Amino acid sequence: TANEIENFPLELLPQEVFDTSSITNMRDLFDLLDVEGDGSITQDEFVDGLLSILVLDVPVSTIQILALIRLTRAKVSKIEKAVSRLGQSLSMADLGADVKQQWKP
């Protein structure tokens, strides 16, 4: 969470993190890495984000956009699966109604 990361000593991070971005404190770094905006990041998100800042020769805004695209893809995939399940449920309900209709005396 943001509160936890604020207590993290800046000295433990490579200077390049601050040289290549507008990050001046741990809260700035957290806000940058919290792409979902939910107030928390996983350890993997922290490490991946930090490596992206250090290794990639692209603006931080591009890193954020790429992370948002990945997040959007994951959410769209969940929605597609839910719609598919709903469609299957509706098809089964229609099939059940048809069977009941056929068996009426």
Side-chain angles (χ1 to χ4, degrees):
T1 64
N3 292 336
E4 294 169 328
I5 205 167
E6 283 179 348
N7 297 324
F8 191 84
L10 290 174
E11 300 79 32
L12 295 179
L13 294 177
Q15 183 60 37
E16 292 85 2
V17 172
F18 306 101
D19 293 343
T20 60
S21 66
S22 61
I23 297 169
T24 59
N25 57 53
M26 289 305 291
R27 181 59 190 226
D28 290 343
L29 178 62
F30 180 86
D31 290 340
L32 175 79
L33 300 178
D34 184 20
V35 175
E36 296 175 28
D38 63 359
S40 67
I41 56 174
T42 65
Q43 186 175 3
D44 286 341
E45 289 171 326
F46 179 80
V47 172
D48 289 346
L50 207 51
L51 287 174
S52 294
I53 292 169
L54 293 171
V55 175
L56 298 179
D57 189 23
V58 295
V60 172
S61 60
T62 302
I63 295 168
Q64 289 177 313
I65 290 168
L66 292 171
L68 282 170
I69 289 170
R70 283 192 302 273
L71 175 65
T72 302
R73 279 186 188 152
K75 288 185 177 187
V76 167
S77 177
K78 286 181 183 180
I79 291 169
E80 287 173 336
K81 289 176 184 174
V83 168
S84 176
R85 286 192 303 270
L86 181 60
Q88 290 171 353
S89 295
L90 291 174
S91 294
M92 294 301 290
D94 289 344
L95 179 63
D98 289 345
V99 169
K100 285 181 183 178
Q101 186 67 21
Q102 289 176 357
W103 287 96
K104 279 189 175 179

